[in-house]
Amino acid sequence: MYQWRKFEFFEEKFGGKSSIPAEITGAIQCCSSGRGRIAVGCDDGTVSLIDRGFKLVYGFQAHSSVLFLQQLKQRNYLVTVGEDEQISPQLSSICLKVFDLDKMEPEGSSMTSPVCLQILRVFTNQFPESKITSFLVLEEAPPILLISIGLENGSIYCIKGDIARERITRFTLQVEAASDKSLSSINGLGFRVEGRALQLFAVSPTSVSLFNLHDQPPRRQTLDQIGCDSNAVTMSDRLDLILGRPEAVYFYEVDGRGPCWAFEGEKKFIGWFRGYLLCVIADQRSNKNTFNVYDLKNRLIVHSMMIGEVSHMLCEWGYIIFIMNDKRILCIGEKDMESKLDMLFKKTLYTVAINLVQSQQADAAASAEVLRKYGDHLYGKQDYDEAMSQYIHTIGHLEPSYVIQKFLDAQRIYNLTNYLEKLHEGGLASKDHTTLLLNCYTKLKDVEKLNKFIKGDDSVGDHKFDVETAIRVCRTAGYHEHAMYVAKKAERHEWYLKILLEDLGRYQEALEYISSLEPNQAGVTVKEYGKILVEHRPVETINILMRLCTESGESIKRRTSNGVHMTMLPSPVDFINIFVHSPLSLMDFLEKYTGMVKDSPAQVEIHNTLLELYLSSTLTFPLILQENNSDDHDLRVRSTKYLTNVHGHLKWSTLYMMSVWLLFFLEMNAFKDGILFLYEKLKLYKELGDSTQGGDPSLWGDLLKYFGELGEDCSKEVREVLTYIEKDDILPPIIVLQALAKNPYLTLSVVKDYIAFESLKKNQNLLKMIASLLTSTRLEETALMKKEIQDLRTNARIFQLSKCTACTFTLDLPAVHFMCMHSFHLRCLGDNEKECPECAPEIRSVVKTKRNLEQNAKDHELFFQQVKSSKDGFSVIAEYFGKGILSKTAIKPPEVLQSGNS
């Protein structure tokens, strides 16, 4: 004890000037704390309640003299034991009363008093009277109370039940009797409730006993053959019995004596407060009392002071309260944690501070701050190992960068590694922490620790480090196997394959790994790393793709709303980009796929790509010839065979979608056989040319139009085309002339033979037939017109229009009706009443056109002048023919012809 450190963690409150209220005049016999008040019992029989300011709340007469009292915690009840007036010699004057402090007697009463729920005689014929030496109440299960009354004769009277309703049972517990009653009196009681076990400690001057109250009858166990006097017994917060003797303070558990603390001096009072042991010790030499507060866990005397004669000691409101014999009140309060720690820090007692915060269950942040300061202190003394051990305990509360910066020096890398390991074990490490730890392992070349960190059973599964960071650092440092282990366990397939292919070049192993994946995952990885795989393992890669894209492999399925499983296979088009440097492999893949799958949703793209591969030996894919070891002719034969096969089983809708692209590509590659084949299959006969080859004759008209707009001399080609036109009598001369007239480089000599007399003669019958048809048509039209004129002159016309043609409103008088069957309001015509506004513009246009044509037909000088002045007289003649001017001929009278002949 003499080596215990002394500190002043407590201080006196209220300046030591508090006292029992003056209204309380009797001698204080007993007191009890709880529920924010202190209850005081006096020898005059009054019970007084005192508030936190030590003011009297109220008092009432409970007995003639109050011996013991106790406030309950679960209910606002007060249980008292005292002497009352003796009614008869046969009845004991000692009574037990239960008061409900929440209920007061009616206002008509003589004084303020709580309601007394029950009064019981403590002693009866079965329970003979003896002096009461101790008293204790346990709220077992409200409203059940267990009241234990210790007697001078070594017995314990117990009353159990609902006291208010007097539904109780009584029983006696007997401690070993002694010849001298003063050595057998029960000086202390203590209940121990642990689960369903209910036990009672009983202390006499010569023994410590334990009763198991669940046994019937209760079983007694002697824990020790020494005891103590009254007021030196209490219970700890761990439900251990504490008793004080002159030589030491003893702790008792259910199985016997526990720790013993050698504090010398007579123990007048023993108490327990917030984990501290309280002792009022009498010093026989100085005849003075000392009050000590002990921190047993840390072996500290946290408060010590001289104190006068104490009447009662209790705890309430966070204070230790002493009621002195002179009715003064002394309050001792604990200082706050910050003040206590500052006191320890000034004396560099960091270990004491750490133990203090831990023993008092301070919050984690406060504990971490103490540990940090202790760590800084050790770091300043260059005790790095011990400093790191303190910093490790701050993990979770202290910012890691604070510690890491102190240990970045290469000489302290072991301490830094230890700290980073603890960070990861607590799941508090960031990506940067993982990077730093792995770099420490690699610099130390500590493969064993690296294996433990990477391959530990709970490393990857519990995500104690950032997976991607670990992979990247291990890969950079050359620990590929470790990186692959993490990637595989974390199912980071892209990283696993990246290391296999890019760093290690283990292509076969990569293919096997991809084959073991789920189809959707395999498809993703093939898209990302397929170029490398195709370059080094084309056959195996194609086999994987075939399993992914066809029914022969595992299909990816999803459940539709109606519960039917639909097969969702990836398309070969999704993987075309991986063959960018291996077109021959792409050709093999697509050929295998088209040979197995006949009705793919992407068949248009697939067949187009395949044909492009066949035809692109000298264009897009110049490497095909080298890979195929064949010439251009072989590829074109292969493409023709492919076209034949494709058109044999594809639907017309699919062929139509392919046609435009195919024609473009075939023409771009000058593959005539393929073009002719496609024209024939798509029935584009016009594109074939000559009718002898199944072509459309109208093609020659389009060809002449092309030569007419060419803008260069193409006389040779035009003559060749005209031979075909003349042979099959395809086009009339006028069409030929009109088509070629736009080309300024073509002269009349080009078409001279074609427009020869024989050609004109060949068409004479046709001209006669046309003239006959025109004549008959004119006669019929003339007859109809004459009939209509006669009808207009002789017959009445009935006009039935009800609305005006101009304004569309109802037709009313005055109105004008025209023979064209249009009717108008007179007001809508204005000044022009002679002609129909609707028909007049058309009639004027026809008349004007007729007049101009007739005038031009008579102006022969203008015609010949235009022919002479034009660079190409043929174009002028063609234009007159086109306007129908030269086709108009007049039939002269015979006499004119005769005069002309003469």
Side-chain angles (χ1 to χ4, degrees):
M1 170 183 145
Y2 297 105
Q3 297 180 1
W4 287 27
R5 296 178 181 274
K6 291 185 178 181
F7 299 96
E8 286 300 322
F9 288 170
F10 287 78
E11 59 186 356
E12 189 175 346
K13 303 292 183 179
F14 306 110
K17 298 180 179 180
S18 301
S19 62
I20 294 295
E23 295 89 340
I24 302 175
T25 58
I28 298 175
Q29 298 278 85
C30 55
C31 60
S32 175
S33 62
R35 304 184 70 89
R37 290 177 295 192
I38 295 176
V40 176
C42 300
D43 60 355
D44 59 3
T46 60
V47 174
S48 303
L49 299 177
I50 301 174
D51 63 12
R52 185 166 185 167
F54 302 109
K55 304 296 183 181
L56 178 64
V57 179
Y58 65 87
F60 62 94
Q61 191 73 35
H63 301 273
S64 298
S65 176
V66 181
L67 301 177
F68 297 92
L69 60 79
Q70 182 176 334
Q71 293 188 76
L72 304 185
K73 295 180 179 180
Q74 299 184 38
R75 291 178 295 175
N76 196 16
Y77 284 5
L78 178 68
V79 181
T80 64
V81 174
E83 294 185 17
D84 285 355
E85 294 182 1
Q86 191 168 8
I87 301 176
S88 66
Q90 292 78 17
L91 296 177
S92 173
S93 62
I94 306 299
C95 294
L96 183 146
K97 296 182 180 181
V98 179
F99 294 93
D100 186 349
L101 300 181
D102 288 332
K103 298 180 181 179
M104 307 302 291
E105 293 289 350
E107 295 183 357
S109 303
S110 59
M111 63 180 294
T112 303
S113 175
V115 173
C116 181
L117 300 176
Q118 188 57 259
I119 301 175
L120 295 176
R121 297 288 176 179
V122 175
F123 301 109
T124 64
N125 294 333
Q126 292 81 14
F127 300 93
E129 184 173 351
S130 179
K131 182 180 178 180
I132 299 175
T133 55
S134 58
F135 175 76
L136 189 61
V137 181
L138 172 68
E139 296 174 86
E140 187 174 356
I144 305 302
L145 299 179
L146 177 57
I147 300 173
S148 298
I149 302 171
L151 303 178
E152 187 181 33
N153 60 12
S155 299
I156 303 172
Y157 282 179
C158 295
I159 303 172
K160 182 177 182 179
D162 187 351
I163 308 296
R165 298 183 181 182
E166 203 172 353
R167 297 176 180 176
I168 60 174
T169 58
R170 298 170 183 252
F171 57 93
T172 303
L173 302 176
Q174 184 65 48
V175 180
E176 292 183 68
S179 59
D180 186 355
K181 289 186 178 180
S182 63
L183 298 178
S184 62
S185 62
I186 306 302
N187 296 328
L189 296 170
F191 282 111
R192 179 185 177 95
V193 181
E194 191 171 11
R196 300 189 62 180
L198 176 58
Q199 297 166 315
L200 176 64
F201 289 102
V203 180
S204 70
T206 59
S207 68
V208 176
S209 301
L210 178 67
F211 291 91
N212 192 338
L213 300 182
H214 275 291
D215 294 340
Q216 293 299 329
R219 179 172 53 88
R220 188 182 71 86
Q221 176 185 357
T222 300
L223 300 180
D224 205 345
Q225 295 297 330
I226 61 171
C228 71
D229 296 329
S230 59
N231 294 328
V233 179
T234 190
M235 296 290 292
S236 73
D237 52 10
R238 296 181 59 186
L239 300 179
D240 295 334
L241 177 70
I242 307 173
L243 60 87
R245 290 179 59 83
E247 72 278 5
V249 174
Y250 298 89
F251 282 70
Y252 291 89
E253 300 176 359
V254 293
D255 54 354
R257 185 193 295 180
C260 173
W261 304 93
F263 304 144
E264 294 183 356
E266 180 187 356
K267 314 302 185 296
K268 288 190 173 183
F269 289 92
I270 290 290
W272 190 264
F273 175 76
R274 293 181 178 177
Y276 296 109
L277 175 65
L278 312 178
C279 292
V280 177
I281 303 175
D283 188 346
Q284 300 295 336
R285 290 172 294 183
S286 63
N287 200 22
K288 293 182 180 179
N289 297 329
T290 303
F291 171 58
N292 289 334
V293 181
Y294 299 98
D295 182 351
L296 301 178
K297 184 175 182 179
N298 299 311
R299 294 180 176 270
L300 301 175
I301 301 176
V302 296
H303 183 66
S304 182
M305 64 178 293
M306 301 300 294
I307 194 171
E309 292 298 328
V310 178
S311 173
H312 295 87
M313 181 179 72
L314 63 159
C315 300
E316 186 63 26
W317 306 305
Y319 301 141
I320 304 168
I321 301 172
F322 294 99
I323 299 178
M324 313 303 288
N325 285 350
D326 58 2
K327 291 189 176 182
R328 288 186 304 108
I329 295 177
L330 181 62
C331 284
I332 306 297
E334 187 178 10
K335 294 180 180 179
D336 60 79
M337 180 62 72
E338 185 177 357
S339 300
K340 292 187 287 185
L341 292 176
D342 287 342
M343 189 184 307
L344 296 172
F345 291 154
K346 289 178 182 178
K347 298 181 180 181
T348 65
L349 299 175
Y350 294 100
T351 55
V352 177
I354 293 170
N355 294 332
L356 178 66
V357 296
Q358 292 177 348
S359 63
Q360 296 193 356
Q361 298 179 349
D363 62 274
S367 300
E369 180 62 19
V370 176
L371 293 166
R372 181 194 65 80
K373 290 185 177 181
Y374 187 32
D376 292 346
H377 173 71
L378 295 170
Y379 185 88
K381 295 172 62 177
Q382 298 184 353
D383 188 354
Y384 301 117
D385 294 340
E386 188 61 29
M388 178 54 73
S389 67
Q390 302 305 319
Y391 288 134
I392 286 174
H393 288 97
T394 66
I395 290 176
H397 303 282
L398 180 63
E399 174 60 36
S401 59
Y402 178 85
V403 180
I404 292 172
Q405 289 177 355
K406 291 177 176 291
F407 292 87
L408 285 176
D409 191 285
Q411 296 179 354
R412 295 188 282 275
I413 190 172
Y414 290 98
N415 298 121
L416 178 60
T417 302
N418 187 23
Y419 182 79
L420 293 170
E421 287 174 345
K422 298 298 182 182
L423 270 181
H424 284 81
E425 288 177 7
L428 301 173
S430 66
K431 296 180 180 180
D432 295 331
H433 298 149
T434 301
T435 302
L436 188 57
L437 178 58
L438 292 173
N439 284 328
C440 289
Y441 286 150
T442 55
K443 287 182 180 180
L444 293 172
K445 300 187 183 302
D446 195 338
V447 180
E448 182 179 353
K449 279 195 172 183
L450 183 61
N451 288 336
K452 183 178 179 181
F453 180 76
I454 293 296
K455 300 182 180 181
D457 294 337
D458 57 349
S459 296
V460 181
D462 294 340
H463 301 288
K464 290 188 176 180
F465 56 80
D466 182 74
V467 172
E468 187 170 337
T469 301
I471 296 172
R472 186 177 61 253
V473 175
C474 289
R475 184 187 180 199
T476 303
Y479 290 88
H480 297 106
E481 295 298 331
H482 294 80
M484 289 168 57
Y485 178 87
V486 176
K488 187 174 183 179
K489 195 167 184 180
E491 296 184 352
R492 300 297 294 270
H493 311 299
E494 68 282 4
W495 278 102
Y496 189 88
L497 291 170
K498 184 186 291 288
I499 298 169
L500 273 180
L501 297 172
E502 297 179 5
D503 298 340
L504 304 177
R506 286 147 57 173
Y507 308 108
Q508 188 61 37
E509 186 176 344
L511 288 167
E512 293 173 358
Y513 182 79
I514 292 174
S515 300
S516 67
L517 299 177
E518 293 294 328
N520 57 339
Q521 296 174 342
V524 173
T525 54
V526 170
K527 288 179 183 178
E528 187 168 358
Y529 302 104
K531 293 179 183 178
I532 301 176
L533 294 172
V534 168
E535 181 180 356
H536 295 88
R537 294 290 188 277
V539 177
E540 293 85 348
T541 306
I542 291 174
N543 291 336
I544 290 178
L545 291 177
M546 288 298 296
R547 288 198 298 271
L548 289 175
C549 299
T550 64
E551 295 289 349
S552 61
E554 296 183 47
S555 57
I556 304 171
K557 298 181 179 179
R558 63 177 176 86
R559 183 174 293 276
T560 59
S561 58
N562 59 2
V564 180
H565 284 86
M566 299 293 293
T567 302
M568 303 293 292
L569 295 172
S571 171
V573 178
D574 300 335
F575 302 101
I576 287 179
N577 64 308
I578 70 175
F579 294 95
V580 64
H581 300 302
S582 305
L584 180 59
S585 298
L586 176 59
M587 186 185 301
D588 293 339
F589 170 51
L590 295 181
E591 284 180 341
K592 289 183 178 180
Y593 180 82
T594 55
M596 183 176 293
V597 180
K598 303 300 183 182
D599 192 14
S600 170
Q603 59 184 348
V604 174
E605 294 87 345
I606 295 171
H607 290 298
N608 285 348
T609 304
L610 193 53
L611 182 61
E612 183 179 353
L613 291 170
Y614 290 150
L615 301 177
S616 300
S617 59
T618 57
L619 297 174
T620 311
F621 297 102
L623 297 178
I624 284 185
L625 286 176
Q626 301 175 18
E627 297 179 3
N628 199 32
N629 294 322
S630 62
D631 55 17
D632 183 69
H633 176 71
D634 292 337
L635 282 174
R636 293 179 182 273
V637 171
R638 188 174 180 181
S639 63
T640 304
K641 181 179 179 181
Y642 161 76
L643 285 173
T644 305
N645 294 333
V646 166
H647 286 80
H649 67 265
L650 289 184
K651 298 179 181 178
W652 166 251
S653 58
T654 304
L655 286 174
Y656 182 78
M657 294 172 63
M658 294 174 57
S659 61
V660 176
W661 187 91
L662 284 174
L663 284 173
F664 168 77
F665 199 74
L666 291 171
E667 290 176 356
M668 185 177 67
N669 288 274
F671 187 22
K672 294 182 179 180
D673 293 340
I675 294 173
L676 293 175
F677 176 85
L678 191 61
Y679 283 162
E680 182 178 356
K681 289 296 181 181
L682 297 178
K683 298 182 180 181
L684 298 176
Y685 301 116
K686 182 177 180 180
E687 305 298 333
L688 291 172
D690 199 330
S691 59
T692 59
Q693 300 182 12
D696 189 347
S698 62
L699 175 64
W700 300 114
D702 297 336
L703 187 57
L704 285 178
K705 183 179 180 182
Y706 167 76
F707 288 138
E709 297 174 353
L710 188 58
E712 62 183 43
D713 189 5
C714 52
S715 302
K716 181 180 178 181
E717 290 80 2
V718 171
R719 288 189 179 94
E720 184 179 355
V721 171
L722 289 178
T723 58
Y724 289 101
I725 294 176
E726 181 180 358
K727 180 175 64 174
D728 294 334
D729 196 11
I730 296 173
L731 295 175
I734 188 62
I735 300 299
V736 174
L737 293 174
Q738 288 177 344
L740 298 176
K742 297 179 181 180
N743 191 337
Y745 296 96
L746 297 177
T747 61
L748 282 174
S749 61
V750 177
V751 295
K752 180 178 65 174
D753 295 336
Y754 176 69
I755 313 177
F757 176 76
E758 293 181 359
S759 179
L760 294 176
K761 185 177 181 180
K762 186 182 299 182
N763 292 305
Q764 187 175 10
N765 294 333
L766 179 60
L767 291 175
K768 289 182 179 180
M769 181 180 66
I770 294 173
S772 175
L773 181 60
L774 289 174
T775 303
S776 63
T777 301
R778 288 175 180 173
L779 291 176
E780 290 177 0
E781 289 179 355
T782 301
L784 289 174
M785 292 179 65
K786 287 181 178 181
K787 182 179 181 182
E788 185 177 359
I789 292 171
Q790 182 64 24
D791 186 53
L792 289 173
R793 288 177 177 176
T794 58
N795 297 328
R797 303 285 287 192
I798 300 174
F799 300 95
Q800 297 180 343
L801 288 179
S802 60
K803 293 184 179 181
C804 175
T805 304
C807 65
T808 70
F809 287 105
T810 303
L811 195 65
D812 55 8
L813 298 178
V816 178
H817 303 279
F818 291 96
M819 289 300 180
C820 59
M821 302 307 292
H822 291 144
S823 301
F824 299 89
H825 292 115
L826 181 60
R827 62 180 178 272
C828 293
L829 290 175
D831 297 333
N832 188 7
E833 301 179 7
K834 301 295 184 181
E835 56 184 4
C836 174
E838 292 289 326
C839 302
E842 183 179 356
I843 294 174
R844 291 194 195 101
S845 177
V846 172
V847 171
K848 183 177 180 181
T849 301
K850 180 181 179 182
R851 185 182 301 115
N852 290 337
L853 291 174
E854 291 176 350
Q855 185 175 356
N856 290 337
K858 297 176 181 180
D859 194 352
H860 303 298
E861 295 180 359
L862 177 62
F863 169 72
F864 290 110
Q865 183 179 355
Q866 290 180 355
V867 172
K868 292 179 181 180
S869 62
S870 176
K871 295 181 180 180
D872 182 13
F874 178 78
S875 60
V876 177
I877 297 172
E879 183 180 0
Y880 269 74
F881 269 109
K883 292 181 180 180
I885 298 175
L886 297 181
S887 63
K888 182 179 179 182
T889 56
I891 301 175
K892 295 184 178 181
E895 59 274 11
V896 175
L897 293 175
Q898 292 176 2
S899 61
N901 293 332
S902 61

